[in-house]
Amino acid sequence: MALITLRRNLCHLSDFRIHGALAALRNQRVNHVHKIVQEHLCPWFCSLPPGPVRVRFRHAPCQKFHSENGNDLPPAGEPAFSQVHDWDRFEQNLKNEDEQISYRRLNNFTSSEEVLSFLSTLQTLPDAVAAGALKRICEVEKKGDFQRLPKEILENSIFQVVCDQLEQDPSNLSNATLATALQALTLSYVDPRSSLLLKLVAECQHRLGSVGLDVHSLCVLGESLIKLRGPDCSAVERIICLLQGKNLEAFTPEDVVTLYRILQMCPDSVHEHQAFLNKMNTFSLSVVSSLSPNLMSQMLTALVVLDQTQALPLVIKLGKHAVRHIPHFTNKELGKVLEAFIYFGHNDRFFTKALEQHVAPLCLTLDPEVLSAVMGYCGSKRILSKPILNAVAEAFVCQPEKFSPSQISELIEPFGKLNYLPPNASALFTKLENILLTHFSSFPPKTLLKLLHSCSLIECHPVNFMAKLFSPHFLQRLQGDEPYLDRLSLAQLTQLFLTSVLECPFYKGPKLLFKYQVKSFLTPCSSLETPVDFQLYKSVVIGLIDLLGARLYFASKVLTPYRYTIDVEIKLDGDGFVVPFTVDEDVHKRVALCIDGPKRFCLNSKHLLGKEATKQRHLRLLGYQVIQIPYYEIEMLKSRLELVEYLQRKLFSQNFGRHWYQE
């Protein structure tokens, strides 16, 4: 029945035959009540193993209350986003007005003591209120993934009455109550042999075969069963099939995200449900505007885990709506959003602007994981955001101890990639050097190499560490158990060695052995150069042929002895004449044309990336006359004649007359 009095539950006690059984509990001595109740109730939380079992939880942010660590409880009257929807949805299923009032009050409590005290005032305890109380107790006591309920809660007589009532006859529970009770069990460790758990799961399996469950109940039950029994539970696949048969229009935004989470926790069967996922991705476009920050973060995380690269329209729309949520994301949620954008290669200038406004003033209070994700986002998308980079640099200088070795690398690498030195560069790299001097061995070899290579890209050369990098001991650590060193590591080592020769002539330490040096920096998947933009290259080649008279007078994509590949090379003799590229004698000067497309610059800027600036700097030190042909100058030319005149101005400066070789 919907209403089961505590008098019935405790009818074996003469003290509870009076009206208002819970009131009688208050009049008993705690030890006496506990002893009697424990003899008749099945202690479903008992038999706990010595080690905790990891359970995945979801914790929502607040609509108006922002928790920095994502674990703080909302204050009374301001429940979290997802909790608001869960509690409101369940409350709508309560037909009795008293039940609704009781349920609403439960949602406002912020401690187990308040919940239990409130229950002790009730004359009767409806099943729905019992399930809601159990869920609220587990919510307020949840402090981590391995958390179990405190002993004083488990031994509390009123708490045990609540558990016993839900266990007695699960068949009488409504669908919503059953779903809420199971959901509560996922919020804390529960003994897998618990009779309450076994009975609720059995009832759930029974209803899947005989009772029509609504969409929300199916979603809650599905997610709860996965958390409690794992994705291989037979009932989970049945629930997924039932949900696929439902009309997506019947799904609320919360239900859609829950279904994404269910499929996310069943990665081995994703390919079987891809057609349904495609429908979900399309339908989800219509609910994006209704998503809370927490739900938006969860949807993006699920899309990453499910590898929904074909759902870019959905990702783009989520990115647009994420702009207004940036101030409300918790640290963890913002980190997940940024990781998703990095994964899908998405960037949005409005999102970046909002990120700048949020990160800069709060940088010192943000978690290291969030700062790493922010820098990863800027680095991967070539976003030169000076407010973000400056704020992160200041945070590192002020609080270096809170960053792990991998996080330090993730923070510093974008400075090298984006070719940017913050205003406090001196303090930043002094702090970094001190950390490396004292904790050098704590850095994983590849992490350390990437970090020091990034520093060299912005001319902060790690001279004090080059001897260690080129030592056989470090190279052995770098290789690890692999049969050979990966090509990217070899390329980074080679460029660092070239840097030591060209830019650090005072370095007299060990050299990098020739067998560890790559022949070219331009290689697939491990390149330290950006390939030339093909369309831009074709335009320049046409102009050069018109200017010089023949294709014979320049060479394309020339691999130099110094590992760099030159887009176009032109040779000049001592009188400034252009000679055919096949001529090697009497070459007075070599001209290197760098045909720089958009991908060689920071996004939407004229600022060269660190690796391109390093390449041009090295070529100049090697004796080349470097001439940059940037895309934004070519795009301004309106005709072929203008292109030829432009190239003439670029190639033939005042030092050289306008000449080319003639036989």
Side-chain angles (χ1 to χ4, degrees):
M1 298 298 291
L3 297 178
I4 301 179
T5 67
L6 292 188
R7 187 187 313 120
R8 191 193 73 178
N9 291 337
L10 304 174
C11 60
H12 54 277
L13 300 176
S14 59
D15 295 317
F16 295 103
R17 291 174 185 167
I18 61 172
H19 182 68
L22 280 175
L25 274 174
R26 298 198 307 275
N27 297 326
Q28 290 286 344
R29 294 195 309 273
V30 174
N31 293 338
H32 171 68
V33 173
H34 170 62
K35 180 179 179 181
I36 298 176
V37 174
Q38 195 172 42
E39 292 174 353
H40 294 81
L41 299 181
C42 177
W44 63 283
F45 274 101
C46 296
S47 304
L48 299 180
V53 176
R54 183 176 179 84
V55 181
R56 300 181 64 181
F57 300 98
R58 65 186 178 100
H59 183 81
C62 306
Q63 187 168 9
K64 297 180 180 178
F65 172 75
H66 177 58
S67 167
E68 286 299 334
N69 58 22
N71 292 326
D72 296 338
L73 287 169
E78 294 187 37
F81 256 120
S82 66
Q83 292 177 2
V84 167
H85 294 298
D86 289 342
W87 287 85
D88 287 351
R89 176 73 70 85
F90 192 27
E91 185 181 328
Q92 293 170 5
N93 293 319
L94 304 180
K95 298 181 173 58
N96 186 286
E97 184 177 352
D98 291 337
E99 292 182 34
Q100 294 181 1
I101 294 174
S102 298
Y103 208 83
R104 194 177 301 118
R105 289 189 62 184
L106 284 173
N107 187 30
N108 291 330
F109 295 139
T110 58
S111 70
S112 298
E113 290 74 14
E114 289 180 316
V115 175
L116 295 172
S117 176
F118 168 70
L119 294 181
S120 69
T121 66
L122 300 179
Q123 298 297 325
T124 58
L125 183 63
D127 293 336
V129 176
L134 177 61
K135 182 168 181 282
R136 190 56 181 168
I137 289 173
C138 293
E139 285 174 348
V140 299
E141 293 294 340
K142 174 182 171 296
K143 297 181 177 65
D145 289 347
F146 299 99
Q147 189 71 24
R148 63 183 68 185
L149 290 179
K151 182 178 180 181
E152 58 268 21
I153 300 296
L154 299 178
E155 295 180 351
N156 183 279
S157 302
I158 300 176
F159 178 80
Q160 292 183 346
V161 168
V162 169
C163 297
D164 180 60
Q165 177 164 321
L166 294 172
E167 178 189 341
Q168 278 186 353
D169 193 359
S171 62
N172 287 328
L173 302 178
S174 67
N175 292 337
T177 301
L178 177 63
T180 300
L182 269 177
Q183 192 177 35
L185 300 188
T186 67
L187 299 176
S188 183
Y189 173 79
V190 180
D191 186 350
R193 297 164 297 177
S194 158
S195 59
L196 174 61
L197 175 60
L198 294 175
K199 287 188 177 182
L200 291 180
V201 170
E203 179 61 25
C204 174
Q205 293 174 329
H206 170 72
R207 295 192 188 189
L208 289 175
S210 60
V211 180
L213 295 170
D214 61 279
V215 167
H216 181 69
S217 296
L218 285 171
C219 289
V220 175
L221 290 173
E223 185 175 31
S224 300
L225 286 174
I226 291 176
K227 291 179 178 180
L228 294 168
R229 291 301 179 90
D232 296 330
C233 177
S234 59
V236 173
E237 187 61 31
R238 172 62 177 162
I239 288 175
I240 294 177
C241 291
L242 289 174
L243 287 170
Q244 290 184 15
K246 301 287 185 178
N247 185 354
L248 286 175
E249 298 293 337
F251 285 66
T252 66
E254 297 76 25
D255 295 333
V256 172
V257 176
T258 303
L259 182 51
Y260 270 117
R261 291 199 304 267
I262 290 173
L263 295 174
Q264 171 188 341
M265 290 186 283
C266 304
D268 294 338
S269 60
V270 170
H271 62 283
E272 301 175 9
H273 307 298
Q274 188 56 57
F276 180 60
L277 270 169
N278 293 338
K279 294 180 181 179
M280 284 182 60
N281 295 337
T282 302
F283 173 76
S284 296
L285 290 167
S286 63
V287 304
V288 168
S289 60
S290 303
L291 295 178
S292 68
N294 187 31
L295 293 177
M296 185 172 291
S297 170
Q298 292 178 6
M299 181 178 285
L300 282 167
T301 300
L303 291 174
V304 170
V305 175
L306 296 169
D307 191 30
Q308 296 299 291
T309 53
Q310 70 275 29
L312 283 181
L314 177 57
V315 174
I316 292 171
K317 190 165 185 178
L318 285 166
K320 291 180 178 179
H321 284 272
V323 173
R324 63 188 175 92
H325 288 317
I326 284 182
H328 308 294
F329 284 124
T330 64
N331 283 340
K332 183 177 180 180
E333 291 162 0
L334 180 58
K336 293 296 183 183
V337 170
L338 291 168
E339 289 172 7
F341 288 166
I342 293 171
Y343 182 85
F344 290 110
H346 172 72
N347 71 85
D348 182 283
R349 62 188 180 94
F350 296 107
F351 180 84
T352 303
K353 188 67 177 178
L355 200 61
E356 290 176 347
Q357 296 171 352
H358 176 66
V359 169
L362 299 177
C363 206
L364 293 177
T365 63
L366 294 177
D367 291 342
E369 294 80 7
V370 177
L371 293 180
S372 298
V374 170
M375 292 298 281
Y377 171 72
C378 291
S380 66
K381 302 312 299 176
R382 313 189 327 271
I383 299 172
L384 180 59
S385 171
K386 294 182 181 180
I388 290 178
L389 295 175
N390 292 343
V392 170
E394 186 63 29
F396 178 73
V397 170
C398 295
Q399 302 171 327
E401 67 283 348
K402 75 176 187 179
F403 297 97
S404 67
S406 60
Q407 289 167 347
I408 291 174
S409 179
E410 290 165 356
L411 257 61
I412 301 299
E413 284 178 44
F415 288 100
K417 180 172 185 177
L418 301 173
N419 189 26
Y420 178 72
L421 283 171
N424 65 341
S426 177
L428 173 67
F429 289 100
T430 298
K431 190 74 69 174
L432 176 62
E433 184 176 18
N434 291 336
I435 291 175
L436 291 174
L437 287 171
T438 55
H439 302 287
F440 187 88
S441 60
S442 300
F443 283 76
K446 289 188 178 181
T447 298
L448 183 64
L449 178 59
K450 287 192 299 181
L451 171 61
L452 297 178
H453 177 262
S454 298
C455 294
S456 73
L457 296 180
I458 42 178
E459 300 183 75
C460 296
H461 306 304
V463 180
N464 292 337
F465 304 99
M466 284 183 176
K468 292 184 178 180
L469 291 180
F470 301 150
S471 69
H473 174 68
F474 180 80
L475 295 174
Q476 185 177 8
R477 285 183 59 209
L478 190 63
Q479 182 173 338
D481 297 329
E482 299 298 325
Y484 49 82
L485 278 171
D486 65 279
R487 189 166 183 83
L488 178 59
S489 295
L490 290 175
Q492 290 171 336
L493 284 168
T494 304
Q495 193 171 51
L496 278 170
F497 172 65
L498 186 58
T499 297
S500 71
V501 174
L502 297 175
E503 302 188 68
C504 308
F506 48 86
Y507 172 72
K508 304 301 180 183
K511 309 296 183 183
L512 182 67
L513 296 178
F514 183 77
K515 67 177 183 179
Y516 293 111
Q517 299 178 30
V518 298
K519 295 181 179 179
S520 172
F521 291 138
L522 183 62
T523 53
C525 303
S526 58
S527 181
L528 298 185
E529 300 181 61
T530 306
V532 65
D533 183 281
F534 182 68
Q535 293 300 325
L536 184 62
Y537 166 78
K538 281 177 57 178
S539 299
V540 173
V541 166
I542 292 172
L544 286 173
I545 293 174
D546 289 346
L547 175 64
L548 302 179
R551 183 68 176 78
L552 177 67
Y553 294 105
F554 62 92
S556 300
K557 303 177 182 177
V558 179
L559 177 61
T560 70
Y562 314 104
R563 287 88 177 177
Y564 290 110
T565 299
I566 298 175
D567 299 329
V568 170
E569 183 184 54
I570 299 175
K571 298 176 181 179
L572 304 176
D573 64 13
D575 297 323
F577 285 95
V578 178
V579 299
F581 71 83
T582 55
V583 174
D584 291 324
E585 299 81 11
D586 300 325
V587 176
H588 178 71
K589 184 172 285 292
R590 295 174 184 267
V591 179
L593 267 65
C594 295
I595 305 173
D596 295 329
K599 291 186 178 180
R600 292 184 178 180
F601 295 87
C602 295
L603 187 67
N604 300 325
S605 79
K606 300 178 182 180
H607 190 85
L608 272 178
L609 293 175
K611 60 182 178 180
E612 302 304 326
T614 298
K615 172 184 176 179
Q616 295 184 19
R617 188 170 69 248
H618 283 183
L619 289 176
R620 289 189 181 95
L621 292 170
L622 290 165
Y624 287 88
Q625 179 187 351
V626 177
I627 296 178
Q628 187 181 13
I629 310 292
Y631 75 97
Y632 52 82
E633 291 181 358
I634 298 294
E635 288 177 348
M636 295 177 64
L637 306 176
K638 297 182 174 60
S639 66
R640 191 162 169 172
L641 177 60
E642 287 186 5
L643 174 61
V644 173
E645 293 175 346
Y646 167 81
L647 292 174
Q648 178 182 332
R649 291 192 302 272
K650 282 281 189 177
L651 286 172
F652 302 108
S653 62
Q654 295 178 356
N655 296 329
F656 296 95
R658 180 185 174 189
H659 307 295
W660 54 85
Y661 182 84
Q662 294 183 359
E663 298 183 2

